[in-house]
């Protein structure tokens, strides 16, 4: 099965949370309410340094995806 790069997630147990699931490596879920990230991958020390520098890009991509999806609902 082919998955989209991002998936919008919702859960009534977390009414204020907006979850974006990133399905490509590195896989993660980000809560746009507070930018908290849960990684599905394990990283070594070298990878963690690289992730720190790329984290802002991941958040920006997830936010842009969310904004695009919401704009489509409004149409």
């Amino acid at each position: 099965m082919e998955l989209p790069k991002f998936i919008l997630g919702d859960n009534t147990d977390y009414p204020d949370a907006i979850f974006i699931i990133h399905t490509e490596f590195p896989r993660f879920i980000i809560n746009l309410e507070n930018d908290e990230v849960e990684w599905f991958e394990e990283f070594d020390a070298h990878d963690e340094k690289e992730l720190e520098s790329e984290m802002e890009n991941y958040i920006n991509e997830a936010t842009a995806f969310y904004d695009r999806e919401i704009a489509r609902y409004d149409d």
Side-chain angles (χ1 to χ4, degrees):
M1 170 184 356
E2 188 173 331
L3 295 174
K5 182 176 182 176
F6 290 105
I7 299 171
L8 184 59
D10 187 24
N11 188 304
T12 57
D13 291 333
Y14 302 91
D16 296 327
I18 301 167
F19 297 105
I20 304 295
I21 300 98
H22 184 258
T23 62
E24 296 177 358
F25 184 84
R27 296 172 300 148
F28 62 88
I29 294 178
I30 183 170
N31 180 350
L32 294 182
E33 175 191 23
N34 57 17
D35 292 339
E36 187 175 336
V37 175
E38 182 70 31
W39 299 97
F40 292 125
E41 315 291 351
E42 292 187 25
F43 304 104
D44 62 24
H46 178 266
D47 291 337
E48 287 180 15
K49 293 249 186 225
E50 188 173 321
L51 280 175
E52 288 176 16
S53 66
E54 291 295 320
M55 193 62 217
E56 184 177 348
N57 291 335
Y58 292 133
I59 292 171
N60 288 339
E61 286 182 20
T63 302
F65 164 77
Y66 174 76
D67 291 342
R68 186 193 78 184
E69 292 298 297
I70 294 304
R72 288 179 177 177
Y73 282 114
D74 291 341
D75 288 341

